[in-house]
Amino acid sequence: MNNPNSGLNRRGFLWGSGMALALPWLETFANEKEAGQGTPKRFVSIYHPDGVGLPLKTDPAWKDWSWFPRGGEHDFQLTKVLDVLEPLRQDITIYSGLSHPAARRVHGHSNADQYLTGADIGGHGPYRNTVSLDQVIAEESGNLTRHASLVMSTNGGIGGPRGAQTQSYNREGRPIPAMNKPKQIFDTLFVTTGKEAKEKLARSQSALDFLIENTRALDRKLSMADRRQLQQYMDAVRDTEIKLERAQKWVNTPIPEVDTQHLVLEAGPEEARLYFQTMYELIYLSFLSDSTRVATFQLGRENGEGPHDLLSKAVDLGKAHALTHDVKKPNGWQNLGTYNRYQASEFGRFVQKLRNTPEPDGHGNMLDNTFAMHGSASSSFHLSRNYPIISAGGKNLGFRNGRYLKFGTGNEDNQAGAGITTDSGWQSRVKVEEEPLAALFVTILQRMGIDADSFSGHAGTLARV
Amino acid sequence: MLTQPFLKTLRESSAFSCLVFMVLITASPIFLEIGVGEEKTKPLSLEEARSKGREKSRLMKIARGMVDRTTQTGEPDLATFERSILPLLQSKCLACHGPDVEEGNLRVDSLDPDLLSGKSLSHWREIYKVIGNEEMPPADEADYQMSDEERGLAVDWLSQELTKASFAKRNSTPHTSFRRLTRQEYEYVMKDLLKPPYPLGDRLPTESASEDGFLKSSEMLQMSAMQFETYRELGLEGLGKVTAIGERPVPVVYNIFMSDHWDRISKADPSKLFSASHSDYKKQGQRPHLLDRSSSMGVLFSNGSVKPELPFTLEPLPEVSPVVMSLTGSFESKWNLDRFLPDEGVMRVSVRAGRTSNDPEEHIALRLIFSAHTSNNANFTEVISQHDIPVNAPADDPEYVHFDIPLSQIQRNPFRKLETTFPRRDEFLHLKCISHGKRAEIPVAIHIDHIRITAPFYAEWPPQTHTDIFIENSGLEDQDQYVREVLKRFVSRAWRRPAKPDELDRLMILYQKYLPQTNGFEEAVLEVLGTILASPEFLYLAQFPPEGQSPDSSQLDDFALASRLSFFLWSSIPDEELLRIARGGQLNDAGVRRAQVRRMLEDPKAERFAESFVSQWLGLSGLDSITHVKDAELVEAMRREPIEAFRDLLAGNDSVLNFLHDKSVWVNERLAKHYGIPNVYGPHFQKVDAPSAAQRGGILTSAAVMAMNSDGEHSNPLQRGVWMLEHILNDPPPPPPPDVPEVDLTDPRILEMTLKERIADHRNHAACRSCHARIDPWGIAFENYNAQGAFRSKIGNEPVDATAMLFSRQKLDGITGLKRYLLLDRQDQFVHALVYKMTTYALGRPLQFGDQAEIDKIATKLRKTGDGLQELVFLITESSLFNSRAQVQIHEQP
């Protein structure tokens, strides 16, 4: 297949042209909202594994294919990797010098798990994670929408400890499985009917009561070691109970009707472009219909495996994960940069779409009320420092964009760990100073209207944001 | 501990040779040299190597008494250490692993000879491995060679002490493991329990393999609220699909008689008819046409429309008509069914078909495709038949072939219910001919005279799957009593053990709660059954001790044992017979159990064992993410090959050494073509003798192994070497150390090198040497196979150089050299590795050091009984590991 777009054309993928969304119920809800709920505040986090290209200044590839911009806070210049975001310049902010301190010497393959949690997951031995930023927000906003949050990834499920395939973790630090099939996501958002749900709820409640009692009986017969396994099951049943209570409120509310004609719900990772765009579109639709206000989407997984490696087919390149290992091969930096550029362009397309859509309640456009974050938990090769993060939107939440914000000291030109393609990078001593990413998270939480002064053990907000 | 005066003299005497050794290492790539030690004598044939290798087996020489000892406790044998082992280490090892030089961070003079309670266990295990594999002392250290007798002394002592240590560890950790069903197991369990019309389980989150490559490790099998809900939904959905409450639904029936179309077309334009006896027929006959077999007249025809029959007639079947549709090659016939198919239920497509030739080298089958053409850019077609169905009846005596398609599971035309006619509402069914084999001058054709489509289709009412749950009421007048019976029976299957009265009481209370919320008692029962399918007793595999014993007992009750057997061999629940034997308490009888295992292996469900074990053992999921083999049919054939080989060896109780090399290969037409093996026809796998030119035999040379260990267009010797060590020899290399320099491909010096030279260059960096010397040679021996797994003798214009030198200075001359070496010197290691892998799979948990003694025992018994693959299954099911409750993983401190 020479033309990566041919699949798109063949199936008549009508992006943005005549997108129609029927929202009969939104109006009925609008009154309720004016009465006190206010304009939605939304959060979305896009995660891409494998970091970005960070060649040394002496490398000829540095000029075009180093990810971070050049220049100052307002007069920054984008390299070829991010120049696709130039039209959105006034709507984005690019950050450098941020990372989670606990993972700075953890191998890049293991660190996706802690991107939104900041937990000290370590590199080996016992594993424990903590609640993720999106789920803290969802605990508040989730009560106002049918779905507390939308958790998606290309690989689906949860992966394994230190091999996350989801960005989202609940209060117990347990991973929340990500959905990866557009059809399944769509059906979850827009197809289940109210009446069935109501009857189901009543029966579910009885079932849960029985299962809790039964599990207690089983627990008494198990050895200590087995009880820990069973506890996980018990937690799952309890979580379901909580969800049931919330669902009870929604059973009489009609599901928004969404025009599906332009959606290719059977798209899979092997049709990378179509798949990326469909997944982004589902986030957009879920926001537009106010089905949820919190979404996470992970593109692939660290240490690429499964569908992950198909994603770079979007730009006709080979295995996505190998791109980071092959930067010293001919055109290596350019290839990695080209894939990162593509990721940025899809994010840009999504941001643009939010910007072009007026907020249904008339309060600015959707982007003004959405904080959209795009990033990775490593910069250079396996290096869990200096996360490459872009944010967009959030004007009505108090974010000022059009800026390149450098944090930390000693690494103003982003050369720490640059050009390294060995494990000596991530294992080396941390020589430069970086700000904890959790500080940005606290800022985000507060601007989302959540009463929080710390996250993941870090107290205080991030200056200048 | 070594004594000081000795050390001093040793230090002085060995200083010189040690220096020489170091110089050698840094000055030339001694671990991989080409042409060094060229053998002048004719090498052994692989068969000779195999029988000689068997004679060399250490496991074979272990005395019977040692093998059968069930517990080996006791004190460390320090006397032997002082007398024989210590002097040996001092004279052969200390020079490089002592106070002066500490190669590999190992000092043999600081090891604690007490393996049971000392702190040097992991070092001793490593020493056991390298001495046993003859990797140490290095072959080029003339002064430090061990005689066979000395090596035997060291290996025997270490083996005995390690066994004692293993037992000691095991007895001190009496924990059990308790794990959730894997996604695959869940699917099989639901299939066996309910027989739903389509697989349930796709919607469950995917699982990752643990480090040893297996999917059953409890730490990888998590549970979350969303997943729990999915189990509830799937359970209820499955139950809904297999039960049938109320009146039999009226089906939509389409009948397609080819004679109707013949009448219409032949009357409309008789000039289009042609004669099948005419010489032109050779050409016309290859395209889809209608043929009157009685008059030998034909007319081109492939696509038609059909409306449902009202009122429909199911019986009797029409007589065979001489007018048929003829399909050859990969042609298809497409039928417009308009918009009348129901949303739900099974669509049965019955095709009366026969084949025109009985040449066994021609294969012909039918495939179903479904499509809609809603607008120019919104077409879709989907293959809806799970498998192609071969047409085997002769054309003059055709038989029906049946496809059952769950309508709710296929892509339907979303516009079929519109009031308007655009977008188009109609749906199409295609019958596609799939032919394989040699193409005769007049190729084989399928002749079809009648097609009947029925939806929803029920062979009987209520269906069997319904009466399996709602069993016949054996005269119980009270409905509650009947419901209790239904629940009791279902629980005993779903929970793999009889229901206890108090459990049934609780289930009845739940039933009473549902009863007023549902329409009729059956719906209430289904809700209860759905809850049973979301319970921990169903979703988790528990290993309970027999009734009345403490939760920490190491004994396993009969029902837990029955489940262990069935989840090992069927990836699913025990059947009625196995449960019956468990109820009778006979499973502990060796004869009864062996008979059961044999019966289970003969059951078609045992194919799941082959499929699932081989996939996990060899890491075949690696094939899912390769992009450089474009032909999906070829990738699937690659994946099947080792599975088919395993099935065949298992059925014949053939030697496991056949995995390393076999005179035969298991191929289908597609794979045979890839391998350059002529005269293999059809999509099914066949065991054929591999011509020597094909360079195949055993699983090492399978295209799957080569393709998944390749990097896009190029073979990847490093990955192949790692694969070999991990999967075949169970000797995984350590992770790369820090400060590994990358091969800099912008360096002109490097660019001029061949791949093999680059690897050699890389290996000569000090940081890389120790690992790569152990890994690369294994992979380089495979260089004659390209990234697609095809054989090659040239790369570009250069001849392939597949000679490699192992760490132990053993030269491997390509794949044959590798196989020869494995068969001659590594038989025990391979057999042991396979025992280890299969036991891990059977137990569903990672093995630990404490299990090692029992693994050794199984391996020894297997070797002594002739290495039969079926015997291995028996030995595992008879081992004490399998028959006791498992240990939970305790992380050992590194």
Side-chain angles (χ1 to χ4, degrees):
Chain A
M1 229 173 42
N2 294 325
N3 177 6
N5 288 321
S6 62
L8 243 105
N9 295 338
R10 177 169 51 79
R11 299 163 90 161
F13 201 73
L14 309 169
W15 269 96
S17 65
M19 233 287 301
L21 187 68
L23 298 166
W25 66 278
L26 256 188
E27 286 147 30
T28 61
F29 250 50
N31 293 332
E32 201 178 308
K33 277 187 186 137
E34 273 162 9
Q37 314 283 19
T39 306
K41 297 184 174 79
R42 306 187 191 88
F43 172 82
V44 56
S45 167
I46 313 296
Y47 183 83
H48 65 93
D50 298 334
V52 295
L54 216 58
L56 281 170
K57 269 184 179 174
T58 50
D59 194 307
W62 178 79
K63 185 176 153 293
D64 287 337
W65 297 108
S66 184
W67 188 89
F68 287 98
R70 309 282 149 67
E73 181 171 334
H74 295 284
D75 65 350
F76 63 91
Q77 301 110 45
L78 299 168
T79 64
K80 280 192 179 173
V81 188
L82 295 182
D83 63 0
V84 284
L85 295 176
E86 189 63 45
L88 290 164
R89 191 182 175 93
Q90 292 312 317
D91 295 295
I92 59 168
T93 299
I94 298 168
Y95 306 78
S96 71
L98 297 177
S99 59
H100 289 306
R104 283 179 188 154
R105 293 187 72 178
V106 168
H107 194 295
H109 285 176
S110 312
N111 67 2
D113 303 42
Q114 52 91 54
Y115 177 64
L116 286 188
T117 72
D120 183 4
I121 56 163
H124 47 81
Y127 173 92
R128 215 182 133 62
N129 212 330
T130 52
V131 68
S132 56
L133 174 65
D134 61 304
Q135 291 304 306
V136 178
I137 299 169
E139 281 171 5
E140 295 275 327
S141 70
N143 298 321
L144 307 171
T145 54
R146 185 179 296 269
H147 300 279
S149 64
L150 175 61
V151 180
M152 319 198 302
S153 77
T154 55
N155 288 44
I158 56 177
R162 304 186 186 92
Q165 287 170 198
T166 175
Q167 291 177 67
S168 303
Y169 290 78
N170 69 10
R171 275 284 162 194
E172 288 78 49
R174 297 229 165 91
I176 297 174
M179 296 192 279
N180 65 340
K181 297 193 175 74
K183 176 82 168 67
Q184 182 196 9
I185 297 164
F186 183 84
D187 288 351
T188 306
L189 289 170
F190 303 117
V191 177
T192 315
T193 67
K195 182 178 170 293
E196 275 176 26
K198 186 174 187 171
E199 291 169 0
K200 219 172 90 181
L201 281 176
R203 293 195 298 266
S204 293
Q205 194 54 57
S206 314
L208 295 187
D209 293 344
F210 167 85
L211 289 171
I212 287 170
E213 196 186 334
N214 212 43
T215 307
R216 286 207 189 99
L218 179 64
D219 194 66
R220 286 191 286 274
K221 293 194 291 181
L222 292 175
S223 67
M224 283 308 289
D226 293 349
R227 281 181 198 170
R228 282 194 289 274
Q229 284 285 321
L230 190 62
Q231 185 56 41
Q232 214 183 54
Y233 174 87
M234 198 67 157
D235 289 347
V237 177
R238 290 250 160 77
D239 284 353
T240 309
E241 265 196 310
I242 295 167
K243 280 173 103 171
L244 273 187
E245 283 164 25
R246 193 170 59 230
Q248 205 78 45
K249 288 200 313 202
W250 285 98
V251 289
N252 293 321
T253 314
I255 286 193
E257 280 176 35
V258 174
D259 182 10
T260 60
Q261 239 180 306
H262 66 294
L263 283 174
V264 185
L265 294 175
E266 67 272 24
E270 62 286 351
E271 300 163 283
R273 254 169 209 270
L274 187 59
Y275 180 68
F276 272 122
Q277 292 173 7
T278 307
M279 295 290 268
Y280 268 119
E281 181 70 2
L282 287 166
I283 302 177
Y284 171 76
L285 288 175
S286 72
F287 282 178
L288 183 60
S289 59
D290 207 21
S291 301
T292 186
R293 295 177 186 179
V294 173
T296 62
F297 178 27
Q298 179 171 340
L299 319 175
R301 55 167 283 158
E302 296 292 351
N303 202 7
E305 197 184 78
H308 171 98
D309 277 333
L310 301 170
L311 300 175
S312 45
K313 284 174 94 177
V315 283
D316 276 354
L317 288 171
K319 298 185 170 184
H321 176 226
L323 295 178
T324 55
H325 282 255
D326 291 349
V327 290
K328 291 276 179 83
K329 293 195 174 147
N331 291 330
W333 294 109
Q334 179 177 343
N335 288 344
L336 177 59
T338 303
Y339 181 48
N340 287 144
R341 184 175 199 265
Y342 171 70
Q343 291 169 330
S345 73
E346 289 299 350
F347 179 65
R349 182 205 296 269
F350 169 71
V351 167
Q352 180 82 49
K353 196 153 184 180
L354 290 175
R355 196 177 72 173
N356 292 350
T357 311
E359 188 65 55
D361 76 353
H363 195 51
N365 63 48
M366 283 179 66
L367 185 61
D368 294 337
N369 303 308
T370 305
F371 185 79
M373 210 172 127
H374 186 281
S376 181
S378 33
S379 47
S380 195
F381 188 82
H382 297 174
L383 184 67
S384 309
R385 302 167 205 172
N386 196 14
Y387 298 176
I389 293 174
I390 310 169
S391 76
K395 197 174 85 185
N396 290 349
L397 308 174
F399 289 93
R400 287 180 295 126
N401 288 309
R403 300 192 296 163
Y404 169 34
L405 294 175
K406 296 186 206 178
F407 294 96
T409 52
N411 192 24
E412 282 68 19
D413 52 1
N414 298 301
Q415 287 289 288
I420 284 184
T421 54
T422 72
D423 286 339
S424 57
W426 68 267
Q427 288 178 329
S428 68
R429 208 162 49 79
V430 182
K431 297 181 195 92
V432 303
E433 206 173 298
E434 296 185 352
E435 290 287 326
L437 179 57
L440 175 62
F441 289 2
V442 176
T443 305
I444 296 170
L445 286 173
Q446 292 184 356
R447 295 196 179 156
M448 296 297 293
I450 289 160
D451 186 18
D453 47 23
S454 72
F455 185 87
S456 184
H458 172 84
T461 55
L462 190 61
R464 291 192 288 144
V465 174
Chain B
M1 297 287 155
L2 295 180
T3 50
Q4 282 305 315
F6 170 76
L7 271 180
K8 191 161 175 279
T9 47
L10 188 91
R11 214 175 285 155
E12 283 154 8
S13 68
S14 64
F16 177 67
S17 58
C18 195
L19 255 180
V20 170
F21 182 46
M22 293 305 293
V23 168
L24 260 177
I25 290 176
T26 41
S28 67
I30 61 153
F31 297 118
L32 184 117
E33 270 176 287
I34 305 141
V36 170
E38 205 84 58
E39 286 170 52
K40 293 286 180 278
T41 50
K42 189 173 166 285
L44 294 174
S45 75
L46 294 178
E47 286 68 27
E48 289 164 341
R50 179 163 158 173
S51 60
K52 264 193 108 161
R54 189 168 170 80
E55 287 164 26
K56 289 172 75 171
S57 162
R58 278 178 209 288
L59 291 175
M60 298 280 291
K61 295 189 183 79
I62 294 175
R64 185 158 291 278
M66 289 279 285
V67 180
D68 285 330
R69 225 185 296 172
T70 48
T71 50
Q72 301 203 354
T73 49
E75 298 298 310
D77 178 8
L78 300 179
T80 306
F81 178 78
E82 295 290 341
R83 193 174 57 244
S84 333
I85 308 303
L86 179 62
L88 193 60
L89 294 174
Q90 286 169 339
S91 62
K92 307 295 184 190
C93 313
L94 194 67
C96 298
H97 302 284
D100 294 338
V101 186
E102 211 178 311
E103 285 282 334
N105 289 325
L106 174 72
R107 279 183 65 165
V108 294
D109 56 337
S110 59
L111 296 175
D112 187 336
D114 177 353
L115 275 63
L116 277 76
S117 54
K119 289 191 169 62
S120 308
L121 186 58
S122 56
H123 281 129
W124 285 122
R125 292 171 71 185
E126 185 64 22
I127 291 170
Y128 176 66
K129 200 173 80 184
V130 296
I131 294 183
N133 290 343
E134 298 182 28
E135 286 176 8
M136 283 283 157
D140 53 355
E141 285 291 314
D143 292 348
Y144 297 96
Q145 286 312 297
M146 281 187 188
S147 66
D148 281 355
E149 196 188 338
E150 287 169 327
R151 198 177 289 278
L153 214 58
V155 168
D156 286 347
W157 180 79
L158 274 167
S159 148
Q160 165 201 317
E161 298 300 301
L162 284 168
T163 304
K164 281 185 213 165
S166 170
F167 271 112
K169 264 253 159 43
R170 187 167 166 215
N171 293 336
S172 67
T173 49
H175 299 286
T176 70
S177 85
F178 175 76
R179 69 169 178 92
R180 171 169 70 66
L181 302 180
T182 66
R183 185 171 123 142
Q184 179 74 76
E185 285 169 336
Y186 176 82
E187 192 165 311
Y188 287 141
V189 169
M190 292 297 271
K191 186 175 176 201
D192 296 343
L193 188 64
L194 303 180
K195 303 184 190 71
Y198 53 88
L200 297 161
D202 281 4
R203 259 175 287 157
L204 289 168
T206 43
E207 288 149 0
S208 313
S210 59
E211 256 170 53
D212 54 17
F214 291 94
L215 290 164
K216 295 184 187 176
S217 170
S218 66
E219 69 173 311
M220 307 306 284
L221 297 171
Q222 312 239 348
M223 178 67 81
S224 63
M226 184 167 149
Q227 196 166 341
F228 167 74
E229 284 171 61
T230 311
Y231 282 122
R232 290 201 62 228
E233 282 165 19
L234 290 172
L236 285 168
E237 179 180 325
L239 287 162
K241 298 284 176 195
V242 302
T243 52
I245 299 167
E247 290 298 304
R248 182 173 190 147
V250 177
V252 173
V253 177
Y254 296 88
N255 268 309
I256 302 171
F257 295 104
M258 297 306 165
S259 52
D260 293 350
H261 296 275
W262 172 266
D263 290 347
R264 182 170 52 81
I265 296 164
S266 61
K267 275 176 195 143
D269 189 356
S271 68
K272 293 211 169 137
L273 293 180
F274 53 77
S275 166
S277 50
H278 194 270
S279 60
D280 280 355
Y281 185 63
K282 232 189 271 177
K283 204 168 67 204
Q284 292 154 329
Q286 300 208 17
R287 296 172 58 196
H289 62 280
L290 294 177
L291 178 71
D292 183 342
R293 291 169 55 91
S294 58
S295 67
S296 290
M297 294 302 283
V299 62
L300 292 180
F301 177 79
S302 59
N303 303 342
S305 300
V306 60
K307 295 267 184 282
E309 227 172 60
L310 279 170
F312 70 92
T313 47
L314 271 181
E315 301 294 338
L317 288 167
E319 274 185 32
V320 179
S321 156
V323 178
V324 295
M325 165 168 283
S326 175
L327 288 175
T328 60
S330 54
F331 282 105
E332 63 176 40
S333 168
K334 177 172 159 188
W335 291 90
N336 185 339
L337 305 183
D338 209 324
R339 58 188 194 284
F340 302 109
L341 284 176
D343 295 351
E344 293 269 340
V346 169
M347 168 175 73
R348 167 162 284 203
V349 179
S350 302
V351 184
R352 185 154 56 191
R355 48 181 290 160
T356 54
S357 131
N358 58 4
D359 185 340
E361 294 192 334
E362 288 198 293
H363 293 266
I364 198 155
L366 280 172
R367 177 179 296 174
L368 288 193
I369 294 168
F370 201 73
S371 72
H373 309 263
T374 49
S375 75
N376 290 351
N377 292 316
N379 301 338
F380 68 82
T381 58
E382 183 190 8
V383 175
I384 54 171
S385 48
Q386 280 205 313
H387 307 285
D388 301 337
I389 301 190
V391 172
N392 293 326
D396 51 14
D397 188 14
E399 287 172 8
Y400 282 97
V401 296
H402 303 287
F403 295 89
D404 289 333
I405 311 293
L407 284 172
S408 59
Q409 299 310 108
I410 63 173
Q411 175 67 56
R412 300 292 301 273
N413 185 344
F415 305 111
R416 65 186 184 279
K417 289 174 186 166
L418 289 187
E419 296 290 313
T420 52
T421 55
F422 189 85
R424 285 179 62 173
R425 300 172 295 183
D426 41 6
E427 298 180 317
F428 297 83
L429 184 71
H430 312 227
L431 273 75
K432 188 179 170 71
C433 180
I434 303 292
S435 64
H436 288 273
K438 73 164 195 226
R439 282 183 70 84
E441 197 182 2
I442 297 177
V444 62
I446 296 176
H447 282 182
I448 298 165
D449 79 298
H450 175 226
I451 301 167
R452 174 177 286 165
I453 301 159
T454 314
F457 172 80
Y458 290 100
E460 56 199 325
W461 190 265
Q464 175 75 39
T465 52
H466 178 93
T467 44
D468 279 349
I469 292 169
F470 291 102
I471 45 177
E472 201 187 334
N473 189 336
S474 56
L476 296 169
E477 289 190 11
D478 182 50
Q479 193 178 56
D480 283 1
Q481 274 185 319
Y482 170 70
V483 168
R484 201 178 165 97
E485 274 304 302
V486 167
L487 296 176
K488 189 174 157 188
R489 188 183 136 84
F490 191 82
V491 163
S492 74
R493 291 160 65 210
W495 288 357
R496 291 89 69 176
R497 60 168 174 80
K500 301 190 178 86
D502 63 312
E503 290 168 340
L504 284 173
D505 292 345
R506 283 204 297 275
L507 288 167
M508 284 306 288
I509 293 170
L510 185 62
Y511 163 73
Q512 299 294 353
K513 266 197 225 171
Y514 285 144
L515 200 52
Q517 300 169 16
T518 50
N519 303 315
F521 87 100
E522 284 159 315
E523 270 188 39
V525 169
L526 290 182
E527 286 291 334
V528 179
L529 301 186
T531 308
I532 291 170
L533 295 182
S535 65
E537 288 90 339
F538 176 71
L539 295 172
Y540 285 81
L541 283 173
Q543 299 159 358
F544 292 115
E547 202 71 35
Q549 296 218 22
S550 100
D552 289 327
S553 158
S554 68
Q555 278 194 53
L556 205 57
D557 90 341
D558 277 49
F559 292 103
L561 188 54
S563 280
R564 232 191 210 182
L565 284 170
S566 68
F567 278 91
F568 175 30
L569 300 175
W570 291 343
S571 303
S572 180
I573 48 174
D575 63 358
E576 287 296 338
E577 169 153 11
L578 197 54
L579 286 176
R580 183 178 59 77
I581 287 171
R583 270 198 302 277
Q586 297 159 281
L587 262 188
N588 280 310
D589 179 289
V592 172
R593 171 149 22 150
R594 205 167 244 253
Q596 282 303 307
V597 171
R598 182 166 287 122
R599 178 183 74 86
M600 293 175 76
L601 286 174
E602 282 163 5
D603 189 290
K605 283 186 282 190
E607 282 180 22
R608 299 166 185 173
F609 167 49
E611 170 119 21
S612 172
F613 171 69
V614 174
S615 299
Q616 293 175 42
W617 168 37
L618 301 179
L620 295 181
S621 62
L623 284 174
D624 299 343
S625 49
I626 62 168
T627 51
H628 62 282
V629 184
K630 310 285 181 204
D631 178 352
E633 194 187 336
L634 177 59
V635 176
E636 177 56 19
M638 287 178 177
R639 198 182 67 80
R640 293 270 359 142
E641 181 192 355
I643 297 169
E644 297 290 339
F646 183 92
R647 278 176 47 171
D648 196 56
L649 296 180
L650 183 64
N653 192 26
D654 292 318
S655 166
V656 301
L657 296 176
N658 288 25
F659 287 123
L660 296 180
H661 177 69
D662 203 302
K663 274 183 286 190
S664 313
V665 284
W666 289 263
V667 288
N668 64 2
E669 183 174 333
R670 183 66 193 88
L671 196 59
K673 198 173 137 208
H674 189 59
Y675 287 171
I677 299 173
N679 303 323
V680 176
Y681 300 111
H684 58 290
F685 273 77
Q686 302 144 57
K687 183 181 181 180
V688 299
D689 279 350
S692 59
Q695 303 278 351
R696 303 285 162 177
I699 51 173
L700 299 182
T701 53
S702 63
V705 173
M706 297 301 119
M708 64 188 185
N709 293 306
S710 291
D711 220 355
E713 288 309 300
H714 303 289
S715 60
N716 186 333
L718 173 65
Q719 226 176 308
R720 290 174 178 182
V722 171
W723 181 88
M724 180 77 199
L725 287 167
E726 280 180 356
H727 298 269
I728 299 300
L729 297 175
N730 194 25
D731 184 13
D739 297 317
V740 176
E742 176 85 341
V743 179
D744 187 350
L745 287 184
T746 51
D747 180 341
R749 188 183 65 92
I750 301 267
L751 277 174
E752 279 172 17
M753 298 179 182
T754 65
L755 179 63
K756 187 173 159 181
E757 286 165 344
R758 279 179 204 166
I759 291 171
D761 183 72
H762 178 63
R763 196 172 38 245
N764 285 333
H765 289 285
C768 315
R769 187 190 307 123
S770 67
C771 285
H772 282 270
R774 283 170 188 275
I775 301 171
D776 299 348
W778 296 107
I780 285 170
F782 290 104
E783 271 295 271
N784 276 115
Y785 300 89
N786 71 12
Q788 281 78 28
F791 188 80
R792 61 183 174 187
S793 46
K794 280 188 170 181
I795 301 174
N797 290 322
E798 299 294 314
V800 171
D801 179 3
T803 49
M805 187 73 78
L806 285 183
F807 193 69
S808 58
R809 309 272 310 151
Q810 177 69 43
K811 189 182 161 202
L812 303 180
D813 194 356
I815 189 68
T816 311
L818 170 66
K819 285 181 178 179
R820 185 181 299 119
Y821 173 62
L822 291 175
L823 289 169
L824 194 60
D825 289 308
R826 297 288 185 107
Q827 280 191 18
D828 281 356
Q829 191 183 357
F830 168 70
V831 171
H832 195 277
L834 182 60
V835 171
Y836 186 96
K837 299 280 183 182
M838 196 184 284
T839 309
T840 307
Y841 177 84
L843 298 179
R845 64 173 173 87
L847 297 183
Q848 308 166 64
F849 178 67
D851 303 318
Q852 204 63 48
E854 191 65 24
I855 297 293
D856 293 347
K857 210 160 98 180
I858 299 172
T860 307
K861 283 187 180 172
L862 181 63
R863 297 250 54 192
K864 289 183 185 233
T865 50
D867 303 324
L869 184 55
Q870 214 178 79
E871 191 60 30
L872 172 55
V873 175
F874 289 130
L875 289 172
I876 289 173
T877 58
E878 286 156 12
S879 70
S880 72
L881 281 178
F882 195 83
N883 290 283
S884 58
R885 301 172 69 214
Q887 300 167 25
V888 84
Q889 188 169 14
I890 306 291
H891 287 284
E892 275 180 60
Q893 292 305 316

